[in-house]
């Protein structure tokens, strides 16, 4: 488990001055007394670790949203320390079948895709969900995506082109992530069309899972294998000078930073991919700053609440989605005053954590409902599923608003 | 549109950011994390001790800066300070700041010391001790950072202006947003009080505690997002005057101020990029053209026509002291003014003046960091807040005044440049 | 334990002197195998006994001797041979294996030896011994300062002590007085009119670092020198130490140059040491018994004997009923006690055997050693129904309340020695006010005393902070100042604090 970078992350606990800013921003600590807070389980408890046994099971209530690291003004890698400690805890306790399953979206994806109508029926079938809760401890009400039938990969086989070192800037690589592949190919298609509308050729190489759900469920070795494989798939494009654009903000962050800082993956493939990786909204705003973004947006007369998900905040690029939506005439986007929707990837699916996750997201859901808007906007898939289920209205990726404004749909 | 980059999201950075954005600039604020404003007690100090207790900062400031020509106030000037404070209180109406014209209020701290401060939220100002008063200090059984008996007993022994008589006793209530949990943080109480249900229970517990003529002193946890409403309603339902006493971090009052001021910045059109580290700048002809920041993936250049450096002093990490005793400004490697030669940097007596603690960057009249010869390092770089050398704000009780006036002045200098 | 009615008189709190001011190393003996063979053998035997009888106070960390690039490579072979000769268990392991176990160690180490060092919490050890003594009928008078040793002709008949808290004089008559005053033993012998017992205070500084940079004790495989030991103890690791002759045993000053020397030394063991966070520095004074007949002495106290020294005043001064035991080291504390009590028993014409090597101290009966996560585990249990007062060292309110009931009138330094209040990263920044408020609320400290407790504790913490203020601890100190001076305005509490 220990790797040199682990020691580096651990050393950052030296910067902690106990100021408690992380605790006041932690969405889980605000929702439940069962979680003693990121300072407590992070820089504080870490000084007691390193022996033969983990002493603090309450650590498991951390949702790994990463807000603590982001708000810490002292540079303590709180979420990273907690993630490492959680992984060690998971190893000691043994990883449950449930956590093995939900950590492998490709597995469920491939199982469901060929039989998608049946799969969709079962996951929305009450008695089956009760069974799932009893047997696997996946909460019966937890939001589940619907299989889309053909995968995005198989729909876009013609775009599986080789790197083109001759024209690197005119061609971008699209990294769609597992969720788009199995459940939301529509969002991915819109992203491709928006990029193309801006004069870019889009390459969609064969690509696997980044391993993020494995990482957040404490299965580091498997996660490392996944992310290395993915980095190897994308690295030739990065080396040729292509930028890589992601719609899945959490998977993009995994490649930018988390695989390195949390898993300790330190190879050249990951490094080049990381340097070329952009969240799609970040990328489009960058185009705009260079004067290359098309401003031919048509009015979209709507009011939409926007939620910047935790993982998007982790990119450290501000809120480019808000800037993009501000360019669309008539579109009145307002940022919701809430840090987290609660689901944090797979956290909110778990039977023992579902209620906490819903409490975490309560204020967000209230604001979305109170806005009266027909839909909400958010960059992350699992968050959209959570928000949509909790507010009874669709939640879409910001690129979809742009897609509308460009008149592409 | 001219672009400004503000480095640091504390009080000085936010004030500068709001003023620049209102002044028509495209402002990007970059910060490693949330500013330390969230740790502050929520009052606005201007000058509390010099070193004797100051009754009127306005009257005392002239002599104060005359004796301390290198103090930030000597650079900013008393007029800018007054203007800045008036401007500032308008930007944060929900805090409902109250003062007594040029005079300091005298508010009890959580340990029962009468502490001078220039402005306080209306929810705190009612505890002004200058005219004496009778108080019942009420603790919350789940909150470990407030000791009503210690506060009350020290208040009864306090050093007050002649003629002021104080009577204080203590009580405790058990109403809790997390029944059955012994350790409940201040922000948990505050958020729960935003909810009318717990507010009712809390008010019921307070009712009858105060005798006629007594003011109830409570830790400053009375509401977060809806603090004004919570305070008014509690006073009305309890039927006695209430005043909040600031707590040590986590400070709910500081969080409220931070929320309102960051909101003002966003409304003025400012952008915040949190979780990034400013690592340097590039420029030519004495002007910075880009600020370099490290995000999750790479080092990015933010174009800038002007830069405000508000990264704080030692505690916020703007100034660092290495193990050999070397002083460093961490973002731009600016020259740091430390203790003068021949002066011991630290005293063995903890509460003495500690010259090292006043280290920071020296600035000119436009708050531009200067080199040893007094010339600006960059023509378009301005510094504000605790990073500016020459003050020990926690001893002087001058921190907010320096930050607000400094941020205001730095922004003013940038806006005047066009 | 041998059936005598005993009173222990201590001038301040137990552990306020040398015993509580060391780095926490339970010596395997390896350090002395060449310089002081007798000490090496004593340490090897005694550390094994202490691990057994005081298991609760000991963490069985194990130890390493490593040859760094700065060390004489020839020492290692001599070291190995001397270990065998003195009976100090040792095993050479490949340098790569040592680096695997301790990834932060200097990657340039050429040899590594495993020894049986441990880490011992001096205060836990003291309290275990104190409780044991009390269970066997002894009385402990702390904060009692001996002002006079009562002489009746050629015999010592007791002592007079000032009770520093009650402000009264106490007369204790005894058939026998044992002077175990450590560095102060010479002063006490003088009071008994037995002059010339010279105990030189060998002052050393130690620095606690914020967390464990190593898991096992690391010694440099070299002639004992300054800053060549890094001891993981409780939540911190401690680098030590210097050794300079002090003029007075009460000199606790810490030289900036000594701090720099420790940091440089730390870099040799763990590269990057200067970037790590120092928490606190302190000094302790070793009692080095000066054997003038051997013609030794001089300024470098490291060459004075580390061995225990029994002074038989009957033989030396013709005074009966009085023995002095000094010198020695914490690892051999039990042997020192056995030696002096044996001598007393002999002088009194008794024959009562010593049992301290076999009887476990209270709290250590189950033989389980301290483990790093223990407080975290306890806190996990207590989380719902107790408040955490000292967050760094995980001290809950209940522990403080219990301690205050047991020992009314504690200072916050007493609380620190008993419960580790204020010993973590924030150095009292968040807990000092809480502990004061709780003691005041219990009625244990009236208001003026509560204010005094708070300010005194902050001042005492400052003495150990000021010499090591740099990097992260400077940030912390400024935040703490902001809390105490900025928010609470403690400097204007209506009380004056003695320096």
């Amino acid at each position: 488990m220990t790797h040199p970078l682990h020691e580096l992350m651990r050393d950052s606990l030296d910067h902690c001055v106990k100021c408690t800013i992380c605790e006041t921003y932690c969405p889980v600590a605000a929702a439940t007394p069962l979680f003693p807070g990121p300072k407590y389980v992070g820089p504080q408890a870490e000084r007691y670790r390193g022996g033969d046994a983990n002493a603090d099971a309450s650590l498991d209530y951390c949702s790994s949203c990463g807000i603590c690291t982001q708000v810490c003004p002292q540079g303590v890698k709180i979420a990273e320390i907690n993630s490492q400690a959680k992984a060690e805890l998971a190893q000691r306790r043994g990883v449950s079948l449930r956590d093995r399953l939900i950590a492998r979206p490709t597995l469920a994806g491939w199982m469901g895709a060929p039989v998608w109508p049946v799969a969709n029926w079962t996951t929305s079938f009450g008695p089956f969900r009760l069974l799932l809760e009893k047997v696997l401890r996946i909460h019966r009400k937890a939001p589940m995506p619907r299989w889309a039938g053909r995968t995005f990969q198989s729909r876009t086989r013609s775009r599986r082109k080789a790197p083109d070192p001759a024209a690197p800037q005119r061609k971008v690589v699209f990294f769609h992530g597992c969720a788009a592949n199995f459940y939301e190919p529509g969002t991915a298609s819109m992203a491709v069309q928006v990029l193309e509308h801006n004069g870019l050729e889009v390459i969609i190489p064969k690509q696997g899972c980044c391993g993020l759900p494995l990482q957040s469920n404490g299965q580091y070795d498997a996660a490392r294998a996944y992310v290395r494989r993915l980095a190897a798939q994308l690295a030739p494009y990065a080396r040729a000078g292509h930028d890589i654009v992601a719609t899945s903000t959490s998977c993009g962050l995994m490649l930018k930073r988390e695989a390195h800082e949390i898993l300790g993956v330190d190879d050249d493939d990951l490094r080049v991919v990381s340097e070329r990786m952009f969240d799609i909204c970040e990328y489009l705003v960058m185009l705009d700053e260079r004067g290359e973004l098309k401003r031919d947006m048509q009015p979209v007369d709507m009011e939409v609440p926007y939620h910047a998900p935790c993982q998007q905040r982790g990119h450290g690029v501000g809120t480019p989605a808000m800037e993009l939506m501000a360019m669309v005439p008539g579109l009145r986007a307002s940022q919701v005053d809430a840090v987290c929707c609660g689901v944090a990837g797979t956290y909110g699916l778990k039977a023992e954590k579902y209620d906490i996750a819903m409490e975490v997201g309560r204020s967000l859901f209230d604001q979305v409902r109170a806005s009266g808007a027909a839909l909400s906007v958010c960059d992350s898939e699992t968050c959209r599923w959570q928000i949509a289920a909790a507010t009874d209205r669709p939640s879409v990726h910001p690129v979809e608003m742009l897609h509308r404004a460009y008149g592409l749909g | 549109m001219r672009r400004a980059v503000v480095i640091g999201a504390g009080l000085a950075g936010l004030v500068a950011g709001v003023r620049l954005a209102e002044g028509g600039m495209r402002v990007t604020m970059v910060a490693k994390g949330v500013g330390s404003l969230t740790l502050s007690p929520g009052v606005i100090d201007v000058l509390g001790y010099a070193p004797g207790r100051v009754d009127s900062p306005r009257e005392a400031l002239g002599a104060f800066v005359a004796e301390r020509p290198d103090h930030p106030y000597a650079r900013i000037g008393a007029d800018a300070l007054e203007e800045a404070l008036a401007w500032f209180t308008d930007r944060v109406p929900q805090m409902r700041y109250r003062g007594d014209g040029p005079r300091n209020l005298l508010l009890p701290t959580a340990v029962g010391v009468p502490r001078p401060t220039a402005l306080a939220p209306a929810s705190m100002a009612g505890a002004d001790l200058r005219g004496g008063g009778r108080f019942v200090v009420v603790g919350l059984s789940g909150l470990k950072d407030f000791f009503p008996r210690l506060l009350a007993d020290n208040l009864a022994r306090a050093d007050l202006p002649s003629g002021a008589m104080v009577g204080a006793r203590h009580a405790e209530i058990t109403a809790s947003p997390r029944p059955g949990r012994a350790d409940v943080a201040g922000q948990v109480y505050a958020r729960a009080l935003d909810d009318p249900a717990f507010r009712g229970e809390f008010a019921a517990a307070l009712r009858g505690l105060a005798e006629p003529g007594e003011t109830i002193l409570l830790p400053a946890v009375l509401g977060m997002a809806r603090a004004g409403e919570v305070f008014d309603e509690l006073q009305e339902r309890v039927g006695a005057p209430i005043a909040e006493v600031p707590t040590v971090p986590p400070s709910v009052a500081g969080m409220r101020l931070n929320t309102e001021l960051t909101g003002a910045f966003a409304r003025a059109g400012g952008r915040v990029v949190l979780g990034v580290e400013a690592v340097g700048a590039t420029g030519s002809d004495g002007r910075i053209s880009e600020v370099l920041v490290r995000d999750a993936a790479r080092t990015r250049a933010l174009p800038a026509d002007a830069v405000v450096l508000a990264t704080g002093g030692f505690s916020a990490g703007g100034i660092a002291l290495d193990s050999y005793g070397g002083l460093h400004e961490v973002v731009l490697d600016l020259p740091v003014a430390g203790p003068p030669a021949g002066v011991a940097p630290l005293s063995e007596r903890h509460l003495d003046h500690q010259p090292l603690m006043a280290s920071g960057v020296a600035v000119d009249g436009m708050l531009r960091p200067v080199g040893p010869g007094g010339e600006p390092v960059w023509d378009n770089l301005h510094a504000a807040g605790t990073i500016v050398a020459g003050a020990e704000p926690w001893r002087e009780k001058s921190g907010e005044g320096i930050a607000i006036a400094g941020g205001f002045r730095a922004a003013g200098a940038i806006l005047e440049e066009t | 334990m041998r059936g005598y009615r005993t009173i222990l008189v201590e001038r301040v709190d137990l552990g306020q002197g040398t015993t509580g001011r060391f780095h926490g190393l339970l010596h395997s003996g390896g350090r002395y195998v060449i310089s002081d063979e007798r000490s090496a053998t004593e340490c090897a035997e005694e550390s094994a006994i202490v691990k057994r009888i005081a298991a609760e106070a000991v963490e069985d960390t194990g130890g390493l001797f490593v040859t760094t690039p700065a060390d004489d490579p020839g020492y290692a072979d001599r070291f190995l041979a001397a270990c065998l000769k003195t009976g100090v268990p040792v095993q050479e392991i490949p340098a790569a294996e040592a680096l695997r176990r301790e990834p932060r160690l200097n990657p340039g180490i050429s040899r590594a030896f495993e020894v049986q060092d441990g880490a011992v919490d001096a205060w836990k050890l003291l309290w275990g011994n104190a409780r044991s003594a009390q269970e066997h009928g002894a009385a402990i008078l702390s904060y009692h300062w001996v002002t006079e040793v009562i002489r009746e002709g050629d015999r010592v008949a007791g002592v007079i002590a000032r009770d520093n808290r009650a402000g009264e004089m106490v007369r204790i008559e005894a058939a026998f007085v044992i002077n175990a005053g450590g560095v102060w033993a010479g002063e006490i012998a003088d009071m008994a009119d037995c002059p010339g017992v010279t105990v030189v205070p060998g002052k050393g500084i130690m620095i606690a670092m914020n967390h464990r940079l190593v898991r096992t004790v690391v010694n440099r495989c070299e002639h004992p020198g300054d800053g060549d030991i890094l001891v993981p103890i409780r939540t911190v690791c401690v680098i030590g130490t210097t050794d300079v002759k002090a003029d007075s045993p009460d000199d606790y000053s810490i030289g900036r140059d000594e701090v720099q020397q420790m940091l440089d030394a730390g870099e040799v063991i763990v590269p990057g040491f200067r970037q790590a966070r120092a928490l606190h520095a302190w000094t302790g004074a070793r009692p080095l018994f000066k054997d003038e007949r051997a013609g030794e002495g001089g300024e470098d106290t490291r060459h004075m004997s580390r061995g225990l020294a029994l002074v038989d005043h009957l033989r030396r001064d013709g005074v009966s009923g009085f023995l002095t035991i000094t010198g020695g080291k914490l690892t051999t504390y039990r042997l020192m006690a056995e030696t002096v009590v044996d001598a007393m028993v002999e002088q009194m014409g008794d024959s009562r055997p010593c049992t301290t090597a076999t009887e476990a101290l209270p709290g250590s009966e189950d033989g389980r050693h301290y483990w790093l996560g223990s407080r975290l585990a306890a806190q996990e249990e207590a989380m719902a129904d107790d408040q955490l007062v000292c967050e760094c060292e995980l001290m809950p309110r209940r522990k403080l309340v219990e301690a205050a009931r047991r020992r009314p009138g504690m200072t916050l330094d007493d609380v620190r020695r008993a419960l580790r209040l204020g010993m973590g990263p924030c150095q009292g920044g968040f807990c000092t006010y809480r502990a004061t408020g709780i003691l005041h609320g219990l009625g244990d400290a009236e208001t003026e005393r509560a204010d005094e407790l708070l300010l005194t504790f902050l001042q005492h913490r400052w003495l150990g902070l000021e010499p090591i203020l740099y990097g992260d601890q400077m940030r912390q100190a400024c935040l703490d100042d902001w809390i105490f001076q900025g928010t609470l305005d403690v400097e204007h509490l209506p009380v004056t604090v003695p320096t």
Side-chain angles (χ1 to χ4, degrees), chain B residues 58-414:
Chain B
R58 189 183 290 168
E59 285 163 22
L61 214 53
F64 182 79
V65 297
E67 281 170 30
R68 298 167 184 78
D70 294 325
H71 194 277
Y73 278 145
R75 299 283 180 279
I76 295 163
D79 293 344
L81 174 67
E82 299 265 329
E83 191 190 348
L85 289 175
W87 175 93
F88 173 77
T89 49
D90 280 350
R91 297 301 174 287
V92 286
Q94 289 176 51
M95 292 298 291
R96 302 196 285 196
Y97 278 112
R98 302 281 185 272
D100 181 19
R103 319 210 76 84
N104 272 329
L105 306 172
L106 212 49
L107 301 181
T109 70
V111 75
V113 172
R115 181 185 180 287
T117 191
L119 298 168
S123 61
M124 294 179 185
D128 192 1
L129 299 166
R130 289 175 302 165
R134 287 169 51 224
F135 301 93
V136 54
V137 187
V138 179
L140 311 177
S141 57
L143 184 71
K144 64 183 170 191
D145 279 319
F146 194 76
F147 297 93
R149 182 169 168 192
L150 186 62
L151 202 172
D153 288 357
N154 265 326
L155 216 49
R157 308 164 61 230
D159 168 28
L160 293 170
S162 56
M165 300 290 288
V166 164
R169 54 191 190 90
H170 68 277
E172 186 178 85
I173 60 172
T174 55
S176 170
R178 287 182 172 172
R181 306 295 296 200
D183 202 337
V184 183
Q187 68 271 16
V188 176
Y189 277 99
R191 291 184 191 123
L193 283 165
D194 281 347
D195 184 341
F198 180 64
R199 202 184 303 161
E201 188 190 331
F202 195 83
L206 287 175
R207 208 171 297 130
L209 278 182
E211 289 163 9
E214 276 185 333
T215 296
I216 297 177
L217 296 186
L218 281 160
V221 299
L222 306 183
M224 188 74 87
R226 303 171 151 197
E229 174 193 318
V230 173
F231 181 73
D232 293 346
E233 197 184 310
L234 282 178
Q235 280 205 135
E236 194 191 309
R237 291 173 71 165
V238 174
I242 292 176
E244 289 187 305
V245 176
T247 65
V248 299
S251 167
V252 169
M255 288 180 243
R256 290 176 201 147
L257 175 55
N258 184 64
T259 303
E260 194 172 3
L261 204 52
T262 48
F265 180 60
R267 279 191 300 281
R271 301 190 303 167
V272 181
V273 182
L274 212 58
V276 295
E277 198 168 351
V279 293
T282 56
S284 56
D285 298 331
R287 295 183 70 83
I288 292 176
S289 55
E290 288 173 334
V291 173
L292 305 176
V293 298
R294 175 85 204 156
D295 66 24
R298 58 201 141 250
T299 300
R300 204 149 39 102
L302 297 176
D305 297 299
V307 179
V308 177
L309 185 67
T311 45
F314 288 113
S315 69
I319 303 289
L321 177 68
D322 69 30
S323 69
Y324 296 97
L327 288 162
H328 308 273
E329 185 284 306
V330 302
V331 178
L332 301 166
D333 201 19
L334 299 170
V336 176
V343 170
L346 293 170
S347 160
E348 280 189 0
R349 289 181 56 99
H350 179 224
L351 296 176
D352 275 1
H353 169 53
Q354 306 286 354
L356 183 63
M357 302 296 197
S359 305
V361 296
V363 294
D364 67 8
M366 289 164 73
L367 303 193
R368 291 179 300 189
V370 294
E375 72 295 341
V377 181
W378 298 97
D379 288 342
N380 60 345
L381 172 69
H382 304 259
T386 321
I387 192 171
V388 177
E392 278 186 273
W394 44 87
R395 291 169 55 81
E396 300 162 1
K397 316 305 187 249
S398 62
E400 289 80 15
I402 292 172
I404 292 169
F408 184 80
R409 178 81 192 90
I414 292 167

Side-chain angles (χ1 to χ4, degrees), chain A residues 31-48:
Chain A
T32 173
L34 296 174
F35 182 53
K39 174 179 81 175
Y40 181 97
V41 303
Q44 199 161 283
E46 186 64 20
R47 296 174 70 239
Y48 294 83

Side-chain angles (χ1 to χ4, degrees), chain A residues 7 14 16 39 58 74, chain C residues 104 210 277 380 391 475:
Chain A
E7 295 294 314
D14 272 356
C16 178
K39 174 179 81 175
S58 57
Q74 303 288 358
Chain C
R104 292 174 198 267
N210 186 31
R277 175 174 179 174
E380 188 77 12
E391 297 178 23
R475 299 155 84 119

Side-chain angles (χ1 to χ4, degrees), chain A residues 287-303:
Chain A
L287 288 185
D288 186 58
E289 275 164 10
R290 289 200 217 126
E292 295 170 10
L293 186 78
K294 290 243 172 83
R295 291 289 205 123
D296 58 342
M297 294 107 169
Q298 303 301 307
V300 178
D301 188 20
M302 272 180 88
E303 224 163 279

Side-chain angles (χ1 to χ4, degrees), chain B residues 32 36-37 39-41 45 49 51 109-116 141-147 149-150 153-154 157-159 180-184 246-250 314-317 321-325 346-351 354 356-357 394-395 397 400, chain C residues 256 260 263-264 274 383-389 391 397 430 433-438 440-443 447-448 450-451 454-455 458-459 462-463 466 469-471 474-479 481-495 497-499:
Chain B
K32 218 160 143 182
S36 49
L37 183 54
L39 308 176
S40 80
D45 293 345
Y49 293 96
T109 70
V111 75
V113 172
R115 181 185 180 287
S141 57
L143 184 71
K144 64 183 170 191
D145 279 319
F146 194 76
F147 297 93
R149 182 169 168 192
L150 186 62
D153 288 357
N154 265 326
R157 308 164 61 230
D159 168 28
R181 306 295 296 200
D183 202 337
V184 183
T247 65
V248 299
F314 288 113
S315 69
L321 177 68
D322 69 30
S323 69
Y324 296 97
L346 293 170
S347 160
E348 280 189 0
R349 289 181 56 99
H350 179 224
L351 296 176
Q354 306 286 354
L356 183 63
M357 302 296 197
W394 44 87
R395 291 169 55 81
K397 316 305 187 249
E400 289 80 15
Chain C
R256 283 260 167 187
Q260 289 298 323
L263 299 182
D264 285 337
R274 278 178 176 274
M383 198 177 293
D385 46 31
D386 206 351
Q387 292 180 334
L388 201 49
V389 174
E391 297 178 23
R397 181 189 173 107
F430 287 78
Y433 162 63
R434 290 177 190 151
T436 305
I438 291 168
H440 176 68
L442 290 172
T447 316
E448 187 170 344
D451 294 347
L454 185 145
L455 292 179
L458 291 181
Q459 172 61 28
W462 178 252
L463 290 177
E466 184 265 328
L469 270 196
Y470 62 84
M474 182 67 175
R475 299 155 84 119
Q476 183 73 61
C478 287
L479 178 68
D481 281 351
W482 191 21
I483 291 172
F484 287 108
Q485 299 180 34
T487 301
L488 296 175
D489 203 1
V490 298
E491 68 271 36
H492 295 100
L493 279 168
V495 66
V497 175
T499 41

Side-chain angles (χ1 to χ4, degrees), chain A residues 2 7 10-11 13-20 34 36 39-40 44-45 47-51 53 55-58 73-74, chain C residues 104 210-212 215 235-236 276-277 371-373 375-377 379-380 383 388 391-394 425-426 430 472 475-476 479:
Chain A
T2 307
E7 295 294 314
R10 190 176 196 272
D11 283 354
L13 76 86
D14 272 356
H15 307 322
C16 178
V17 293
K18 324 290 287 189
C19 74
T20 68
L34 296 174
K39 174 179 81 175
Y40 181 97
Q44 199 161 283
R47 296 174 70 239
Y48 294 83
R49 298 195 186 109
D56 51 335
S58 57
Q74 303 288 358
Chain C
R104 292 174 198 267
N210 186 31
H211 64 110
R212 290 189 172 192
R215 295 176 181 85
T235 47
V236 301
R277 175 174 179 174
W371 65 289
L372 180 58
R375 278 204 171 187
L376 194 57
Q379 184 56 29
E380 188 77 12
M383 198 177 293
L388 201 49
E391 297 178 23
C392 304
E393 290 296 318
L394 300 178
C426 81
F430 287 78
D472 289 315
R475 299 155 84 119
Q476 183 73 61
L479 178 68

